[in-house]
Amino acid sequence: MLSLRAVLNPGFSWRPVLNKLPRTLYVTRKYAKNAAKATSEAPAADGLLLSFALPSSTLYERTPVTQVDIPTEHGDMGILKNHVPIIECLRPGVIKITDVNGATDKLFSAGGFAVQQPNNHLCITSPEAFRLDDFASVSEVTSLLDQAKTQQATASETEKPAVDVRISVLEAILQALRG
Amino acid sequence: MAFAWKKSFTYSKYLSLCSQAVRDALKPELRAQSQARSTVEFVYSKWKDGSVQYTKSGTPKEEENNTKEG
C-alpha cells in the first residue's frame, strides 16, 4: 500500500512498486547476465584457447588448441571447444594438448586446477609441469620408487600418508615415461 | 577414490608433496634449478602502520590427522 506512512516505515521496500512499472524505467541487477557476457579483455573465441601457467613460468598463453586431455580427481577428461564451464582439481598426471595442426604436446603436471571459462578459454594452473624428456631415465625413477616403498614399510602411522602420496606420484611418472 | 588426500592433508600440503615428488624425478640439471622451489613454498610479511615488520618464508604444515574425530 503506497501511503506516506508505509514509505516512511523502515521495513518498506520499493521492489513491489517497481515491479509494476515498465522494466525500462528502473535498473535491475545483472550480475549473472554480465558474467555470462564476454568481457572486453577476453572476448569469446571460436576455438578453444588454452592458458597453462606455473608459478615459475607460463607455458601457454591464450594459444588456440583443438583438444586438451586432463587427468582430474573425477577421472580423465578431454576438453574440446565450447565445453561447458567447469572447475576441476587435477591429479598428478599427463596433460596432453592437441594443437590446431594436430601436433600433440605432453606435459606431466604435479596437480593444480583446470578452469573452463564461459568464453571458450581453458585456464590450467599447476605448481610444476614438465615435458616427458625433462625427467630422469626409467631406471632412475624406478630406484626412487623403490626407496619410497622401503620407506613405506618402515613408516609410522603419521608418516605413511605422505609416503603413499609420493609413491602414487612416482608410479604415475613411470607410467607416463613408459607409455 | 577421488580426493583421497582429504583424509590426511590440507590441499596445500598435498600439492607440495606431489610437487616435491615431481622435482625429485627430474634430470639432474633441472633438479638443481628447481631446488629453490622446494625449500620455500610461500613468503609472508607482517605489516604495521604501513611498513613491513618482518618477512618469513615457510612450507605448509601437516594437518592433524582425522580432524573430524576431534
Side-chain angles (χ1 to χ4, degrees):
Chain A
M1 180 61 196
L2 202 61
S3 66
L4 182 64
R5 168 179 267 172
V7 170
L8 292 174
N9 191 313
F12 182 77
S13 165
W14 283 102
R15 178 54 49 191
V17 179
L18 293 175
N19 283 344
K20 293 199 168 68
L21 295 171
R23 283 218 141 196
T24 48
L25 287 185
Y26 61 94
V27 175
T28 48
R29 283 168 288 184
K30 296 186 185 122
Y31 303 138
K33 217 181 200 176
N34 289 340
K37 253 195 294 185
T39 60
S40 57
E41 58 167 64
D46 282 334
L48 184 64
L49 295 177
L50 174 66
S51 289
F52 190 162
L54 315 179
S56 49
S57 60
T58 307
L59 301 173
Y60 286 80
E61 193 165 351
R62 293 179 63 77
T63 311
V65 296
T66 312
Q67 179 173 335
V68 183
D69 299 332
I70 50 173
T72 74
E73 288 280 359
H74 292 128
D76 296 342
M77 49 180 81
I79 310 285
L80 299 166
K81 67 173 183 182
N82 302 325
H83 197 282
V84 66
I86 51 163
I87 300 174
E88 286 291 342
C89 183
L90 299 176
R91 280 185 344 250
V94 173
I95 294 173
K96 189 167 125 183
I97 300 152
T98 310
D99 76 9
V100 290
N101 303 317
T104 56
D105 187 15
K106 283 190 189 174
L107 290 147
F108 189 94
S109 93
F113 288 90
V115 180
Q116 170 74 0
Q117 311 280 6
N119 57 0
N120 234 340
H121 187 188
L122 176 62
C123 301
I124 302 179
T125 52
S126 180
E128 303 279 358
F130 295 96
R131 294 193 167 83
L132 297 177
D133 51 11
D134 288 338
F135 286 92
S137 64
V138 170
S139 55
E140 282 167 350
V141 180
T142 311
S143 70
L144 279 175
L145 180 61
D146 292 335
Q147 283 171 33
K149 282 186 171 160
T150 50
Q151 220 183 342
Q152 185 189 43
T154 57
S156 64
E157 280 304 302
T158 47
E159 291 163 12
K160 246 200 171 68
V163 184
D164 289 343
V165 167
R166 190 176 166 81
I167 287 172
S168 65
V169 177
L170 291 171
E171 281 175 348
I173 293 172
L174 268 176
Q175 191 179 30
L177 291 176
R178 285 190 186 126
Chain B
M1 196 192 89
F3 300 100
W5 49 266
K6 265 183 177 268
K7 271 192 205 147
S8 333
F9 316 105
T10 57
Y11 181 70
S12 56
K13 180 69 185 175
Y14 168 72
L15 202 58
S16 71
L17 286 169
C18 293
S19 308
Q20 192 53 49
V22 170
R23 277 181 222 119
D24 291 344
L26 292 172
K27 282 188 173 138
E29 318 86 68
L30 289 167
R31 200 185 318 148
Q33 286 170 27
S34 70
Q35 276 314 304
R37 296 198 286 274
S38 63
T39 50
V40 173
E41 288 278 332
F42 57 88
V43 175
Y44 60 98
S45 304
K46 174 153 180 191
W47 288 75
K48 192 177 172 187
D49 298 330
S51 63
V52 177
Q53 302 293 299
Y54 58 79
T55 304
K56 286 189 190 167
S57 59
T59 51
K61 275 197 264 198
E62 200 149 334
E63 199 173 60
E64 297 292 318
N65 282 7
N66 299 329
T67 49
K68 282 178 191 160
E69 291 180 354

